[in-house]
Amino acid sequence: MQFFKNSQFFFGTLKAHSLPALKYGYSDLEPVLSATLLEFHHSKHHQAYINNLNAAQEQLEDALAKNDVQRIANVQGIIKFNLGGHLNHSLFWENLTPIKNGGGQLPDANSALVQEINKNWGSVDNFKTFFNTRTAAIQGSGWGFLGVDQQSKKLRYLELPNQEIPQNYGLTPILTIDVWEHAYWWDYKNVRPNFLANIWKIVNWKDVEARYNQAQK
């Protein structure tokens, strides 16, 4: 995606972004994720991306009004990075749910999503192993994604660094796991594979399945 290719796209003020409320309490994902980690991750890290994004949008509007081409070019990278952080985190929160609310429970074996996973990876367990292996190997910070290819409509895995978004790579994301260190360090220290092994206990498969079905339309 090329941001702001044509400055004539902008009329008026860009809409400010806000932190999405979680559908569960900070302690509800324990023991997989502690309340301390979740609150810090959501209210501090995600909020920081939103603050930076809103500030950058204001800078962009000012630069456009003054026809300051250099500032317009400079702020694009800031917006892209922080917008990615906002979008990726927003999906991540939706992809999680407490164990007591069905976290980790797979859809029916006859569902289109499970059948497609089985077709691609042999079984859901094989898929989890594949996902964890590839995502654990991401160098530095990044995200693992399961998504629907926008052309073929087939499932595809993608790992991306930093705050890149899969939509820029032809993929509609339906599931993502954050492997920036702030997503797990408080509870798992530097043992990223342990975090990935446990996160499946709170994956909201109902949300993943709904996103898969929507992407097929």
Side-chain angles (χ1 to χ4, degrees):
M1 181 185 297
Q2 291 186 347
F3 291 84
F4 325 122
K5 186 175 181 180
N6 187 344
S7 63
Q8 293 179 350
F9 174 81
F10 294 95
F11 296 93
T13 302
L14 289 169
K15 182 179 179 180
H17 304 270
S18 58
L19 184 69
L22 300 183
K23 297 180 179 179
Y24 38 82
Y26 286 135
S27 64
D28 288 342
L29 300 186
E30 294 182 337
V32 178
L33 298 178
S34 69
T36 301
L37 182 148
L38 186 57
E39 181 176 8
F40 190 73
H41 192 177
H42 175 254
S43 68
K44 301 299 182 183
H45 280 279
H46 190 172
Q47 184 66 63
Y49 288 113
I50 292 169
N51 294 344
N52 292 336
L53 175 59
N54 288 336
Q57 287 185 170
E58 292 180 1
Q59 294 174 34
L60 176 64
E61 289 176 329
D62 183 67
L64 287 168
K66 297 175 179 177
N67 197 30
D68 188 335
V69 178
Q70 184 61 55
R71 284 184 64 205
I72 292 171
N74 290 343
V75 79
Q76 289 185 41
I78 299 172
I79 291 180
K80 181 180 179 182
F81 177 79
N82 287 287
L83 177 61
H86 178 34
L87 294 177
N88 290 341
H89 280 93
S90 295
L91 174 61
F92 182 55
W93 308 134
E94 294 286 329
N95 281 165
L96 303 179
T97 197
I99 294 173
K100 65 183 180 181
N101 293 344
Q105 295 181 13
L106 291 169
D108 186 272
N110 294 320
S111 70
L113 172 60
V114 172
Q115 290 184 353
E116 187 67 14
I117 289 175
N118 291 341
K119 179 181 177 181
N120 283 273
W121 288 281
S123 69
V124 174
D125 285 342
N126 287 348
F127 161 70
K128 291 178 182 178
T129 299
F130 172 87
F131 189 105
N132 287 358
T133 300
R134 292 280 296 270
T135 306
I138 293 174
Q139 295 184 354
S141 302
W143 300 76
F145 292 94
L146 176 67
V148 176
D149 188 280
Q150 294 171 357
Q151 297 298 321
S152 69
K153 298 297 182 180
K154 295 181 179 180
L155 286 179
R156 180 158 60 91
Y157 170 84
L158 182 67
E159 69 259 18
L160 290 173
N162 299 317
Q163 296 300 353
E164 291 289 320
I165 59 175
Q167 293 90 335
N168 289 351
Y169 298 84
L171 191 73
T172 300
I174 64 173
L175 170 67
T176 189
I177 304 296
D178 183 356
V179 290
W180 282 62
E181 282 193 341
H182 64 245
Y184 58 87
W185 183 270
W186 187 274
D187 295 339
Y188 297 91
K189 299 301 184 282
N190 63 333
V191 191
R192 182 186 284 179
N194 286 357
F195 162 69
L196 288 166
N198 282 312
I199 197 71
W200 298 101
K201 298 174 184 176
I202 53 172
V203 165
N204 185 352
W205 283 102
K206 289 183 179 179
D207 180 71
V208 178
E209 181 180 30
R211 292 177 187 277
Y212 174 78
N213 293 336
Q214 180 64 37
Q216 294 299 316
K217 296 179 180 179

